[in-house]
Amino acid sequence: MSYAIIGFGKIGHALAKAFARNGIEVSVATTRDPESFAADAAAIGPTIIPKTLAEAIKADIVFLAVRFESHPDVAKALSSWEGKTIIDATNVFPVPEELDGLPSSAFVAKAFTGAKLVKGFNHLIAATLAADPVVEGGHRVVFLSSDDEDAIAPVAALAKQLGFAPVKLGKLNEGGALVHARGRTWGQLIFQDLFKKEQ
């Protein structure tokens, strides 16, 4: 399984730190030339590989860590995203009217034709996401939701590899609504820093 992070702002950096901490290789890309952020990537660790967007999106699982309004630009990089899983780590607030009542991830999913989309890793602020998720015998929770039931398992497995405790919320417009903003209200689980103790 290969991994990529698209977007290398605060959330992209936080995700890269989780991969580096566990010695897992991940490509990072932005719309900029990889050389412009190569030093940043190297400072995080040797398993963080700067690539062009075209190269990075060859990965099986792709984290979307760009600003919400930039997601169509990433989606245009491939005509079909068949066989790929997108982890939508974006948040949008307040919710723009063009979403027309859809959860933002369902809106994002429409742009990535053929991909399976999982909402995840979006409810924590970057500094918390970047911190070691293993604390006092517990693991920091990440919430996962998707309309593709079989898409969650590989993302949950990756979350565990990265040291997190994945908690499945079900479909995007059901349990997933807890990690989406609605209008001018944040979902109830956004910013909740929770831990799951080992059984």
Side-chain angles (χ1 to χ4, degrees):
M1 198 69 84
S2 54
Y3 308 107
I5 300 164
I6 310 302
F8 205 39
K10 287 180 181 170
I11 294 293
H13 272 80
L15 290 165
K17 283 176 182 168
F19 276 88
R21 197 182 294 119
N22 294 281
I24 302 168
E25 189 169 297
V26 64
S27 306
V28 290
T30 69
T31 49
R32 305 194 315 272
D33 186 304
E35 285 171 18
S36 68
F37 55 88
D40 262 5
I44 295 174
T47 61
I48 312 306
I49 315 296
K51 289 193 177 173
T52 62
L53 182 59
E55 276 293 308
I57 58 177
K58 291 178 181 173
D60 303 309
I61 293 182
V62 176
F63 282 87
L64 191 61
V66 295
R67 289 196 315 274
F68 174 79
E69 55 272 22
S70 303
H71 80 264
D73 300 332
V74 178
K76 282 182 209 143
L78 277 179
S79 56
S80 170
W81 291 78
E82 199 72 47
K84 296 188 182 297
T85 298
I86 304 290
I87 301 174
D88 179 16
T90 67
N91 284 315
V92 60
F93 189 87
V95 176
E97 281 177 17
E98 70 259 26
L99 267 59
D100 205 22
L102 279 179
S104 60
S105 290
F107 190 81
V108 168
K110 292 201 291 189
F112 289 86
T113 313
K116 291 176 176 176
L117 184 132
V118 176
K119 179 76 164 181
F121 295 84
N122 69 297
H123 83 284
L124 296 167
I125 61 167
T128 306
L129 188 61
D132 190 337
V134 182
V135 179
E136 294 172 22
H139 294 258
R140 180 168 278 121
V141 166
V142 290
F143 296 107
L144 305 177
S145 56
S146 180
D147 291 343
D148 289 293
E149 189 50 50
D150 58 341
I152 290 186
V155 177
L158 172 61
K160 281 184 178 169
Q161 267 187 287
L162 295 175
F164 293 94
V167 172
K168 300 171 190 177
L169 296 178
K171 293 190 181 297
L172 296 174
N173 64 350
E174 292 170 3
L178 297 169
V179 288
H180 280 87
R182 292 279 184 175
R184 293 186 165 274
T185 311
W186 285 109
Q188 289 156 301
L189 293 177
I190 291 182
F191 310 131
Q192 298 293 319
D193 187 13
L194 306 173
F195 288 85
K196 200 171 176 183
K197 291 283 186 190
E198 291 292 332
Q199 295 301 319

